[in-house]
Amino acid sequence: MSSLYTPKQIASMLLVSTTTLRKYEELDLIPDVPRTKSNRRSYTSIHLQAFTTIRALLQAYSVNVAYDIMRKVKQGHKDEALWLINKQQYNIQLEKMRVESIVSMLQASDFSSLKGRQLKEQMSIGEAAAAAGVNASAIRHWEKEGLIQSERNPDNGYRVFSPYEIRKILIISSLRKTIYFIGQMKQLLNDLDNQQIESVEKSFQSAFQNMHKKLNEQYQAAAQLVAYLNALELEASEQ
């Protein structure tokens, strides 16, 4: 027989509030919750695993991705949920490869190409965004913050970026998840200007450590999801 838990018991185990548990229920992320004769929630071991899975997913992924995975499971689309997990791991692999390419460019002092893509002498904001793997709005924000500078194409007035600024854009795009403060990023770019490459490389090492941590969290979340799917399958076979 499945164990039964009160909201307070599960909240205590997961270090969250009972309000948070109710929110997950209202968002349709967990199996339907039975009620006692007095209309109180009575969670089972399946619900405990569901809540545990949600918390692990939120640690590893964005809120939207975590919720989407849980809803697909609730709707019976187990394979789609697993493919979503796979996509996130693929994305972090691509990010790691891109950052490794930029580190190689930095060490070789050669920013002429990135993963086979030739970097032109002048690039539009769209071309710079594509090379850096970010939205054009991010580049506009960095320019507004004084991290980079653009010139204007005399023919059409559009922004264009020199190789020197493209190098900054590539570095900012690689470290934006590790260095959160504009002041820190400005200091890093100043180190780059002054050829203090060792300081810049340390920042990249921090970025790699951050990715290693995120990958570990993703695998832990995937393990919790598999445990949840197995529990649901076992419950279905016993009914």
Side-chain angles (χ1 to χ4, degrees):
M1 182 177 177
S2 179
S3 300
L4 299 179
Y5 304 91
T6 67
K8 284 187 177 180
Q9 287 174 322
I10 290 186
S12 177
M13 283 187 277
L14 298 183
L15 302 177
V16 298
S17 68
T18 55
T19 301
T20 297
L21 299 183
R22 287 196 299 273
K23 180 184 77 171
Y24 295 153
E25 182 181 349
E26 292 165 0
L27 290 171
D28 204 28
L29 305 181
I30 65 170
D32 296 337
V33 181
R35 301 279 184 146
T36 65
K37 291 181 179 180
S38 59
N39 201 34
R40 294 180 180 276
R41 288 174 174 80
S42 181
Y43 293 129
T44 67
S45 56
I46 289 289
H47 296 103
L48 174 58
Q49 183 58 49
F51 286 130
T52 301
T53 302
I54 293 172
R55 299 305 296 175
L57 290 171
L58 288 171
Q59 183 71 25
Y61 310 115
S62 70
V63 172
N64 289 340
V65 169
Y67 286 2
D68 198 10
I69 290 170
M70 292 301 295
R71 287 196 184 99
K72 289 189 181 302
V73 174
K74 175 75 182 290
Q75 295 161 3
H77 304 311
K78 178 186 76 171
D79 290 340
E80 291 183 22
L82 291 173
W83 278 113
L84 274 177
I85 288 280
N86 186 71
K87 181 180 179 181
Q88 301 309 308
Q89 292 175 294
Y90 172 71
N91 287 343
I92 199 172
Q93 176 67 29
L94 288 182
E95 176 71 7
K96 179 174 179 288
M97 292 169 62
R98 193 183 71 84
V99 174
E100 286 174 340
S101 296
I102 294 171
V103 170
S104 296
M105 293 166 67
L106 182 67
Q107 292 173 337
S109 297
D110 180 8
F111 281 74
S112 61
S113 65
L114 175 63
K115 295 181 68 174
R117 180 200 295 265
Q118 290 298 123
L119 303 180
K120 300 188 300 185
E121 282 300 308
Q122 285 193 326
M123 298 179 71
S124 69
I125 191 168
E127 292 170 330
V134 298
N135 295 324
S137 58
I139 294 179
R140 293 190 190 96
H141 174 69
W142 298 337
E143 184 174 9
K144 181 180 178 182
E145 293 291 344
L147 297 176
I148 57 176
Q149 291 183 335
S150 66
E151 300 172 3
R152 293 287 175 170
N153 186 320
D155 296 329
N156 54 31
Y158 291 162
R159 287 179 176 86
V160 290
F161 296 92
S162 68
Y164 180 73
E165 297 301 319
I166 292 297
R167 180 175 67 166
K168 288 184 178 180
I169 290 171
L170 292 173
I171 288 175
I172 296 168
S173 69
S174 300
L175 300 178
R176 68 193 188 282
K177 296 178 182 178
T178 304
I179 298 178
Y180 300 97
F181 299 105
I182 295 298
Q184 289 178 298
M185 188 64 79
K186 285 182 177 178
Q187 180 58 52
L188 177 67
L189 295 177
N190 184 60
D191 290 341
L192 180 67
D193 290 339
N194 295 324
Q195 298 297 312
Q196 297 181 30
I197 303 302
E198 183 178 344
S199 174
V200 181
E201 289 180 344
K202 284 182 180 179
S203 295
F204 273 101
Q205 290 305 315
S206 178
F208 283 124
Q209 289 171 8
N210 187 55
M211 281 188 280
H212 297 333
K213 179 175 180 290
K214 183 58 64 178
L215 181 64
N216 186 271
E217 290 170 347
Q218 287 187 359
Y219 273 109
Q220 290 182 36
Q224 291 295 345
L225 177 63
V226 170
Y228 178 39
L229 294 175
N230 289 340
L232 288 171
E233 187 174 337
L234 179 61
E235 182 184 57
S237 67
E238 292 176 346
Q239 292 178 349

